[in-house]
Amino acid sequence: MVYEIVQVRLGNPYGTTEDRITEVKLSTGNVQTVRDVVNYINSYHEYYFTDRNGNQTYVEAVPFQGRSSYIRTKPNQTTTDNLLSLTRF
């Protein structure tokens, strides 16, 4: 399955890194925790978001030593298409 992320929620509203994302809202209106997203990605589901230019960027799960895994966009040539560019909910 493929899911589009349209908004993010941060544990700290002033967070500036993707490891601070705690939940995501999908285009269907459903809200998922990062833990659920990580589990789905590890079970071969895909997540992406669409930037303001219409480009789709896929999301990956990242193990984080000593803490829970987090999600981020897959690396590419630009830094302007990351999850933190999405609106908050």
Side-chain angles (χ1 to χ4, degrees):
M1 302 252 347
V2 180
Y3 304 95
E4 182 180 17
I5 297 172
V6 295
Q7 291 181 305
V8 296
R9 177 173 286 150
L10 303 176
N12 174 346
Y14 303 106
T16 58
T17 58
E18 291 177 323
D19 64 307
R20 301 297 183 207
I21 297 171
T22 58
E23 294 178 308
V24 299
K25 184 180 281 187
L26 305 178
S27 60
T28 60
N30 292 339
V31 174
Q32 292 183 344
T33 66
V34 167
R35 176 179 276 179
D36 288 339
V37 173
V38 167
N39 288 337
Y40 283 128
I41 289 172
N42 290 336
S43 297
Y44 304 103
H45 293 241
E46 292 184 313
Y47 287 79
Y48 70 94
F49 80 96
T50 305
D51 69 17
R52 64 187 98 143
N53 296 321
N55 301 312
Q56 292 181 349
T57 302
Y58 281 84
V59 175
E60 65 184 357
V62 180
F64 201 48
Q65 188 171 351
R67 292 180 47 195
S68 298
S69 296
Y70 67 97
I71 57 174
R72 69 175 179 203
T73 52
K74 291 188 176 184
N76 58 21
Q77 292 77 27
T78 181
T79 59
T80 60
D81 63 349
N82 65 46
L83 291 169
L84 295 175
S85 67
L86 293 172
T87 59
R88 310 295 193 260
F89 71 101

